């Protein structure tokens, strides 16, 4: 079956989303039952259990292991993606680590998932599943999965996201050493002003920068009228400066706005690692993430507000971001002679309507250097299947008179510049 992909903004909206989380069924939450880090874990009297090798759990015996309560949904791609990793960690450290997956969904739904999902079958995932759960969700309330709980010696040691479940953290926790993970609290809301002054209602206007806020989910830019102060509030929470600036320049609609690749950033700063988490380190956020709130009397269009906020970063941080042309290594789509290609009729294929759409998806996939479209045919329908390298892609593209060449090309890049660099 063909997938007809015609609109670039579909994945643009995904690009600037903050997280890969999937909402669960909304229920009334009784926070009086909720456990916090440091609280004593009280095991459930009984669970509905399937898969894995356990017929039941000996919670007393499990106190000598680090126990992970892994909340998941069948429609959460990240939840499914991390299951093989969790199983490998458990297998490698079977004497120290135990994984228990938990879902609110019923047995038939879970059986269908494991019977039909090729990724789970290929990786032979067979973790124990607590299904039809209400107990764990009541003591660890959350809005979205994956949601991860680490328990050791009968105590709650972490309520976090999937990035915090690392071999290092598991071994350190088992050895009685401290671990550094971000707290995940789906019900916490960012509020820099109240935390700093306790007097939100008295503010007349102003801008506040702060560092990382524990327990607050990362949230990109939001521009809205604040119901408490009546002022026009611009805010973002627990985001890196680079991510913050990139979204701002996108909202400001300056020339070419779609520049998702970090390779298209030119740094004029003393230390770029303070701006971007290049190594995807969990501890980076606590050291470098920022929170921002601005309260204005005047409401502006988002594009103008973005420009105003960019000026705040220049004034307070001494950093500015702008676009310029530079030559960098790119994947350049060019016209070429048509060469017929016979595709496997049973192979899965995707149809891209326009070389501009194909270019956007190639750029987003990050298989190759940043993509540039010199064909510029917005009506052509290009159908291609899977490929492992540039040659495999070009064999299919040649049927449409298109080829990809890796070479230097002049394109728009984002420049991040410190004033005193």
């Amino acid at each position: 079956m063909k997938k007809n992909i015609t609109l670039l903004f579909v994945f643009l909206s995904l690009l600037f989303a903050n997280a890969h989380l999937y909402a669960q069924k909304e229920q009334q939450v009784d926070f009086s039952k909720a456990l916090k880090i440091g609280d004593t874990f009280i095991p459930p009297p009984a669970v509905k259990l399937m898969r894995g090798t356990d017929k039941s759990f000996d919670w007393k015996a499990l106190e000598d292991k680090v126990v992970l309560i892994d909340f998941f949904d069948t429609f959460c791609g990240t939840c499914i993606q991390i299951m093989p990793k969790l199983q490998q960690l458990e297998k490698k450290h079977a004497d120290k680590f135990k994984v228990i997956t938990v879902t609110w969904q019923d047995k038939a739904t879970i059986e269908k998932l494991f019977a039909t999902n090729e990724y789970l079958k290929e990786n032979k995932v067979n973790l124990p599943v607590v299904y039809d759960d209400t107990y764990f969700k009541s003591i660890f309330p959350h809005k979205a999965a994956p949601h991860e709980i680490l328990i050791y010696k009968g105590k709650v040691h972490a309520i976090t996201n999937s990035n915090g479940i690392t071999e290092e953290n598991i071994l350190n926790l088992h050895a009685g050493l401290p671990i550094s993970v971000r707290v995940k609290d789906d019900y916490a809301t960012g509020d820099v002003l109240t935390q700093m002054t306790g007097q939100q209602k008295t503010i007349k206007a102003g801008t506040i920068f702060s560092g990382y806020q524990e327990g607050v989910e990362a949230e990109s830019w939001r521009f809205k009228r604040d119901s408490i102060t009546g002022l026009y509030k611009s805010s973002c929470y627990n985001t890196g400066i680079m991510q913050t600036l990139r979204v701002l320049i996108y909202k400001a609609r300056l020339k070419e706005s779609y520049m998702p690749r970090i390779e298209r950033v030119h740094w004029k700063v003393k230390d770029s690692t303070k701006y971007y988490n290049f190594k995807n380190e969990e501890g980076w956020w606590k050291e470098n993430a920022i929170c921002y709130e601005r309260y204005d009397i005047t409401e502006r269009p988002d594009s103008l507000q973005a420009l105003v906020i960019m000026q705040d970063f220049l004034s307070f941080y001494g950093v500015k971001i702008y676009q310029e042309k530079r030559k960098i290594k790119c994947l350049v789509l060019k016209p070429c002679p048509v060469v017929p290609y016979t595709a496997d009729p049973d192979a899965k294929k995707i149809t891209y309507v326009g070389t501009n759409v194909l270019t956007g998806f190639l750029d987003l996939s990050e298989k190759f250097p940043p993509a540039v479209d010199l064909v510029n045919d917005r009506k052509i329908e290009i159908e291609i299947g899977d490929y492992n390298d540039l040659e495999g892609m070009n064999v299919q593209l040649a049927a449409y008179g298109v080829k990809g060449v890796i070479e230097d090309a002049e394109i728009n890049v984002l420049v991040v510049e410190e004033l005193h660099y």
Side-chain angles (χ1 to χ4, degrees):
M1 181 182 292
K2 292 183 181 179
K3 292 182 179 179
N4 290 302
I5 301 171
T6 59
L7 298 176
L8 194 59
F9 74 81
V10 171
F11 68 82
L12 277 178
S13 62
L14 292 175
L15 171 68
F16 294 108
N18 271 321
H20 45 278
L21 303 177
Y22 294 77
Q24 299 182 2
K25 292 191 296 187
E26 285 294 330
Q27 296 178 343
Q28 192 69 29
V29 177
D30 181 1
F31 289 104
S32 67
K33 298 179 180 179
L35 297 184
K36 298 179 177 61
I37 295 172
D39 287 350
T40 299
F41 170 67
I42 302 173
V47 296
K48 296 181 180 179
L49 185 61
M50 61 185 289
R51 301 188 61 79
T53 58
D54 301 283
K55 294 184 179 180
S56 61
F57 296 127
D58 183 345
W59 296 103
K60 189 66 178 176
L62 285 176
E63 287 188 3
D64 292 328
K65 294 184 179 183
V66 175
V67 177
L68 171 66
I69 306 298
D70 169 51
F71 289 94
F72 78 99
D73 296 329
T74 58
F75 45 81
C76 166
T78 301
C79 301
I80 294 169
Q81 182 184 14
I82 64 175
M83 283 184 179
K85 167 196 165 185
L86 298 180
Q87 182 165 275
Q88 290 165 10
L89 282 173
E90 183 184 66
K91 183 177 180 181
K92 185 176 180 180
H93 303 288
D95 60 330
K96 300 180 177 72
F97 185 49
K98 176 67 176 177
V99 179
I100 300 173
T101 66
V102 178
T103 182
W104 55 271
Q105 293 170 290
D106 62 27
K107 186 175 184 179
T109 301
I110 303 306
E111 286 177 338
K112 182 179 179 181
L113 169 70
F114 284 95
T116 59
N117 189 285
E118 294 299 327
Y119 175 75
L120 293 176
K121 290 195 289 185
E122 178 184 340
N123 287 279
K124 299 179 180 178
V125 173
N126 189 33
L127 294 167
V129 179
V130 175
Y131 64 93
D132 273 343
D133 169 66
T134 57
Y135 181 81
F136 285 103
K137 182 73 179 286
S138 70
I139 60 174
F140 299 115
H142 56 278
K143 294 180 180 179
H147 191 68
E148 314 292 355
I149 315 298
L150 288 175
I151 299 168
Y152 184 51
K153 297 293 185 183
K155 298 285 187 180
V156 179
H157 286 266
I159 301 173
T160 187
N161 55 37
S162 57
N163 291 332
I165 309 306
T166 65
E167 184 175 27
E168 180 182 8
N169 281 334
I170 292 164
L171 294 179
N172 282 346
L173 182 54
H174 191 270
L177 300 174
I179 60 174
S180 178
V181 296
R182 284 185 285 174
V183 176
K184 180 176 181 286
D185 183 350
D186 293 351
Y187 296 92
T189 57
D191 191 345
V192 178
L193 179 62
T194 301
Q195 288 198 14
M196 293 183 69
T197 69
Q199 298 180 7
Q200 188 181 52
K201 293 181 180 179
T202 64
I203 189 170
K204 300 299 182 183
T207 298
I208 303 173
F209 281 93
S210 80
Y212 179 81
Q213 281 195 28
E214 192 68 81
V216 176
E217 282 295 296
E219 180 181 287
S220 190
W221 289 105
R222 180 177 294 186
F223 303 157
K224 66 175 184 178
R225 182 70 64 181
D226 182 51
S227 60
I228 298 177
T229 64
L231 299 171
Y232 185 54
K233 180 180 177 181
S234 308
S235 62
C236 70
Y237 301 101
N238 289 347
T239 59
I241 296 178
M242 186 63 234
Q243 176 190 356
T244 300
L245 292 174
R246 286 169 75 186
V247 177
L248 280 177
I249 205 167
Y250 173 75
K251 284 183 173 291
R253 300 171 186 168
L254 301 179
K255 299 179 183 177
E256 181 184 2
S257 294
Y258 171 54
M259 289 188 283
R261 300 283 292 274
I262 199 65
E263 295 96 323
R264 293 180 73 166
V265 176
H266 180 69
W267 301 98
K268 291 185 177 181
V269 300
K270 293 177 182 177
D271 184 1
S272 59
T273 63
K274 294 184 179 298
Y275 291 81
Y276 187 78
N277 190 3
F278 290 96
K279 296 181 180 179
N280 197 27
E281 296 172 322
E282 182 67 13
W284 183 92
W285 300 98
K286 289 189 175 183
E287 293 294 325
N288 299 288
I290 65 166
C291 297
Y292 170 99
E293 288 179 0
R294 180 184 174 99
Y295 295 86
D296 284 287
I297 297 171
T298 303
E299 182 173 349
R300 306 178 183 91
D302 285 2
S303 57
L304 293 181
Q305 189 68 9
L307 292 173
V308 170
I309 296 171
M310 287 167 65
Q311 186 62 42
D312 281 346
F313 276 86
L314 180 60
S315 299
F316 293 105
Y317 267 85
V319 61
K320 61 181 178 178
I321 186 168
Y322 55 92
Q323 296 177 344
E324 69 177 23
K325 293 281 189 180
R326 279 185 173 265
K327 269 195 173 184
I328 65 172
K329 191 174 293 296
C330 296
L331 171 66
V332 183
L333 295 189
K334 298 181 174 182
C336 73
V338 173
V339 180
Y341 172 74
T342 303
D344 180 354
D346 297 324
K348 294 181 180 179
K349 307 176 189 69
I350 296 179
T351 299
Y352 302 90
V353 180
T355 53
N356 61 317
V357 174
L358 172 62
T359 301
F361 272 85
L362 287 171
D363 209 27
L364 192 63
S365 73
E366 299 193 2
K367 275 190 174 182
F368 306 110
V372 178
D373 179 18
L374 295 186
V375 180
N376 198 26
D377 186 338
R378 293 176 178 265
K379 295 183 179 180
I380 188 172
E381 294 190 11
I382 299 176
E383 182 183 79
I384 57 176
D386 293 335
Y387 51 86
N388 295 319
D389 51 28
L390 182 60
E391 181 181 358
M393 182 183 74
N394 277 337
V395 168
Q396 300 182 64
L397 287 180
Y400 304 94
V402 179
K403 68 176 180 180
V405 179
I406 296 179
E407 62 184 22
D408 287 345
E410 190 174 66
I411 61 172
N412 272 337
V413 300
L414 286 181
V415 180
V416 181
E417 181 179 352
E418 290 175 348
L419 294 184
H420 303 295
Y421 172 66

